Amino acid sequence: AQSVTQLDSHVSVSEGTPVLLRCNYSSSYSPSLFWYVQHPNKGLQLLLKYTSAATLVKGINGFEAEFKKSETSFHLTKPSAHMSDAAEYFCVVSDQAGTASKLTFGTGTRLQVTL
Amino acid sequence: DGGITQSPKYLFRKEGQNVTLSCEQNLNHDAMYWYRQDPGQGLRLIYYSQIVNDFQKGDIAEGYSVSREKKESFPLTVTSAQKNPTAFYLCASSIVRGQGTDTQYFGPGTRLTVL
């Protein structure tokens, strides 16, 4: 069985400072891992995806994540936060169910960005 | 303009009524999914479909039904048997391949409130 733990339910940073959102996963397979972002009352937008290629994955809007197998972690980072980054972020691990992907979601981390 | 559309954006229902949520995609994806999102929780899978006229139960299928008569459409019916239907409902779609995990793309969601 696969699972995802997002270690912080809420993170607050000042604009212009680094962002770190932490995620640990458990999977019986060689996992695919994702980060999605959700703004209030909106659908989810894909930030980035890891699929066993390079361990450092670059995404949209300056975000990146590093896959560390030894630590079973996939933390999301950004060097400098912007006000528009304020949103809910979900770490997701995938499994295969037949030929369709089944995703397991973390409970989310709400990022607050202050002036 | 390719994407996933969900309608309506907001939906109100009286207790004991069935209600159907619409999901349409023009991405030519084979697989479609329905998720439920509750405050403070990650998304939970209700149903998914890999191909027309076929679908499988997800983790919380009780009280819901779906159909997949067309590749582009995957409507979800919330029946009166669903004990706590107030939630945010998200539809997603993805390519289906023999190996590997494919990214799921999400619609904007429908917020259902039972009065």
Side-chain angles (χ1 to χ4, degrees), chain A residues 32 34 36 38 41-46 49 51 88 90 94-103 105-108, chain B residues 9 33 35 37 40-43 45 48 50 59 88 90 96-104 106-108 111:
Chain A
S32 290
F34 307 80
Y36 284 88
Q38 183 181 34
N41 292 310
K42 301 290 186 185
L44 275 68
Q45 180 185 17
L46 180 70
K49 172 182 177 181
T51 55
E88 187 96 21
F90 292 96
S94 74
D95 191 357
Q96 281 185 259
T99 54
S101 60
K102 284 192 72 178
L103 304 183
F105 287 76
T107 53
Chain B
K9 186 174 176 66
Y33 312 79
Y35 293 90
Q37 184 177 26
Q41 297 190 34
L43 277 66
L45 182 65
Y48 65 100
Q50 300 177 51
D59 301 318
F88 191 49
L90 288 155
V96 172
R97 290 192 252 218
Q99 284 187 329
T101 300
D102 300 290
T103 303
Q104 291 186 20
F106 286 81
R111 185 165 297 282

Side-chain angles (χ1 to χ4, degrees), chain B residues 49-66:
Chain B
S49 167
Q50 300 177 51
I51 195 169
V52 173
N53 293 323
D54 185 52
F55 46 83
Q56 286 78 40
K57 292 181 180 180
D59 301 318
I60 55 164
E62 185 176 351
Y64 300 97
S65 66
V66 293

Side-chain angles (χ1 to χ4, degrees), chain B residues 20-24 34 65-69 73-77:
Chain B
T20 297
L21 282 59
S22 168
C23 178
E24 304 275 336
W34 274 106
S65 66
V66 293
S67 63
R68 187 85 187 277
E69 297 177 0
S73 179
F74 191 41
L76 173 74
T77 296

Side-chain angles (χ1 to χ4, degrees), chain A:
Chain A
Q2 58 189 20
S3 66
V4 174
T5 302
Q6 291 186 242
L7 298 165
D8 305 292
S9 60
H10 183 261
V11 170
S12 182
V13 301
S14 299
E15 190 175 33
T17 64
V19 176
L20 170 63
L21 305 183
R22 299 182 294 164
C23 172
N24 288 111
Y25 70 92
S26 169
S27 175
S28 302
Y29 302 89
S30 181
S32 290
L33 292 156
F34 307 80
W35 277 98
Y36 284 88
V37 61
Q38 183 181 34
H39 289 90
N41 292 310
K42 301 290 186 185
L44 275 68
Q45 180 185 17
L46 180 70
L47 279 178
L48 49 80
K49 172 182 177 181
Y50 166 78
T51 55
S52 73
T55 57
L56 183 62
V57 182
K58 293 189 183 298
I60 62 171
N61 301 335
F63 284 95
E64 62 182 38
E66 186 171 9
F67 174 73
K68 292 187 176 180
K69 186 174 181 178
S70 61
E71 299 177 10
T72 61
S73 70
F74 190 57
H75 301 334
L76 182 71
T77 60
K78 182 173 180 178
S80 176
H82 191 273
M83 294 297 289
S84 61
D85 295 327
E88 187 96 21
Y89 291 80
F90 292 96
C91 182
V92 183
V93 64
S94 74
D95 191 357
Q96 281 185 259
T99 54
S101 60
K102 284 192 72 178
L103 304 183
T104 298
F105 287 76
T107 53
T109 297
R110 182 163 298 280
L111 175 64
Q112 181 181 14
V113 182
T114 59
L115 288 171

